């Protein structure tokens, strides 16, 4: 494949470049916006995919998708560090975005892009690289002295000190169910399918089957339901699970 790579971080661009070149791809890396746009307009050998840094443009001022459409350049384009994902996996988000924004006439070969997108996801999600990429770091916990409203501080204190740990002790929860609960709690901003949870296990070098997960979640939800002092639930929305914590009434 031919790839255009453009990043505000030259080192990250080089890592992506070298990774895909080593697998037989042709990669062209840009460090200048003018050179990048000229190449888009004048290339006689269009890229199969453009891998871009979300911080290259101010998106309110310049929309790359509108620009490509005006120039009749139907080149698939993704932002590797997009901070607002619409799917659990980055590769799925990128593919859905290409399909929604750039594939109105169904002329793009989305299947051809899948291996490259999955490969890119694995590369930038690697813990050796991820912390160095802009927009991909999780925020550190907010210091209590920064909290201006007592109600907010109370909620944070209860979120940290109350609920899950006490529940595990009260119910004598097994190690396997504790780990599952930990995974769900750490990803409480997402609704997770069984496949998503399995991927989180694998990211932590743990193996588990979909069938085992289904049984374990059923057991965990049963224990939570039976606990009169619970301060959280595992909600099920279709085929997705969602950890929801709430403040107990005093």
């Amino acid at each position: 494949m031919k790839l255009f790579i453009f990043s505000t971080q030259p080192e990250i661009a080089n890592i992506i470049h070298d990774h895909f070149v080593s697998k037989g791809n042709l990669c062209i890396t840009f460090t200048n916006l003018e050179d990048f746009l000229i190449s888009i307009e004048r290339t006689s050998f269009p890229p199969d995919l453009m891998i871009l840094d979300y911080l290259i443009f101010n998106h309110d001022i310049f929309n790359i998708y509108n620009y490509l459409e005006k120039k009749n350049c139907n080149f698939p384009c993704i932002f590797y560090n997009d901070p607002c994902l619409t799917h659990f996996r980055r590769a799925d988000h990128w593919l859905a975005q290409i399909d929604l924004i750039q594939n109105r006439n169904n002329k793009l070969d989305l299947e051809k892009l899948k291996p490259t997108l999955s490969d890119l996801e694995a590369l930038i999600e690697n813990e050796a690289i991820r912390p160095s990429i802009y927009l991909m770091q999780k925020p550190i916990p907010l210091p209590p002295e920064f909290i201006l409203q007592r109600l907010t501080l109370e909620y944070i204190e209860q979120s940290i000190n109350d609920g899950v740990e006490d529940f595990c002790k009260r119910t004598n929860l097994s190690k396997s169910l504790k780990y599952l609960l930990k995974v769900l709690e750490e990803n409480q901003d997402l609704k997770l399918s069984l496949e998503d949870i399995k991927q989180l296990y694998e990211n932590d070098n743990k193996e588990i089957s979909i069938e085992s997960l289904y049984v374990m979640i059923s057991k965990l939800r049963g224990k939570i339901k039976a606990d009169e002092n619970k301060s959280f639930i595992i909600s099920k929305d279709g085929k997705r699970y969602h950890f929801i914590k709430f403040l107990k009434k005093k």
Side-chain angles (χ1 to χ4, degrees), residues 5 29 47 49 64 132 152-153 191 250:
I5 303 166
T29 301
L49 177 66
I64 184 65
S132 301
T152 305
L153 176 57
K191 292 183 180 181
K250 295 181 179 181

Side-chain angles (χ1 to χ4, degrees), residues 11-228:
E11 298 82 2
I12 299 301
N14 288 337
I15 289 173
I16 296 173
H17 174 278
D18 293 348
H19 176 80
F20 283 105
V21 166
S22 70
K23 298 195 172 187
N25 298 281
L26 173 62
C27 299
I28 301 176
T29 301
F30 298 90
T31 58
N32 178 277
L33 179 58
E34 184 178 357
D35 292 342
F36 173 67
L37 297 178
I38 290 174
S39 295
I40 288 177
E41 293 181 30
R42 298 181 181 178
T43 182
S44 57
F45 182 22
D48 298 294
L49 177 66
M50 298 197 300
I51 301 172
L52 310 181
D53 180 347
Y54 193 83
L55 294 175
I56 291 172
F57 321 112
N58 180 312
H59 297 266
D60 291 326
I61 297 174
F62 179 78
N63 186 308
I64 184 65
Y65 300 110
N66 290 343
Y67 175 84
L68 292 172
E69 187 173 6
K70 288 179 181 178
K71 299 296 181 179
N72 293 315
C73 299
N74 197 28
F75 310 153
C77 169
I78 62 99
F79 295 99
Y80 65 82
N81 56 344
D82 193 330
C84 190
L85 301 181
T86 57
H87 289 67
F88 171 72
R89 292 191 59 215
R90 285 185 181 272
D92 292 338
H93 165 74
W94 294 327
L95 196 68
Q97 194 170 44
I98 291 171
D99 190 31
L100 176 65
I101 301 175
Q102 297 183 272
N103 204 30
R104 296 171 184 171
N105 298 321
N106 297 314
K107 293 181 179 179
L108 297 175
D109 188 351
L110 299 182
E111 289 298 319
K112 180 182 177 182
L113 295 174
K114 284 184 178 180
T116 301
L117 295 177
S118 294
D119 198 9
L120 177 63
E121 176 188 44
L123 175 66
I124 65 170
E125 290 287 357
N126 188 304
E127 285 303 318
I129 301 172
R130 178 189 175 99
S132 301
I133 301 178
Y134 294 148
L135 303 181
M136 292 186 63
Q137 302 87 359
K138 290 184 178 181
I140 62 173
L142 193 64
E145 59 268 25
F146 286 1
I147 307 299
L148 299 179
Q149 298 183 27
R150 181 64 194 175
L151 179 61
T152 305
L153 176 57
E154 180 184 9
Y155 178 83
I156 292 175
E157 287 174 340
Q158 289 201 32
S159 296
I160 294 173
N161 301 319
D162 184 43
V164 174
E165 186 176 345
D166 290 342
F167 168 78
C168 292
K169 291 178 180 178
R170 281 196 308 272
T171 59
N172 194 26
L173 208 63
S174 66
K175 288 185 178 180
S176 60
L177 290 184
K178 279 183 182 179
Y179 181 80
L180 173 59
L181 181 56
K182 174 176 172 284
V183 169
L184 293 169
E185 183 187 17
E186 288 181 349
N187 294 276
Q188 60 186 278
D189 54 333
L190 299 170
K191 292 183 180 181
L192 303 171
S193 67
L194 292 174
E195 290 76 13
D196 295 336
I197 300 171
K198 184 176 187 297
Q199 182 63 51
L200 289 169
Y201 270 69
E202 292 175 355
N203 291 348
D204 198 20
N205 297 316
K206 296 181 183 294
E207 294 185 4
I208 193 166
S209 67
I210 295 295
E211 293 75 16
S212 295
L213 273 177
Y214 181 81
V215 172
M216 289 170 61
I217 289 180
S218 295
K219 288 182 179 179
L220 179 59
R221 295 183 75 211
K223 285 184 173 291
I224 295 171
K225 183 177 181 181
D227 182 28
E228 295 182 355

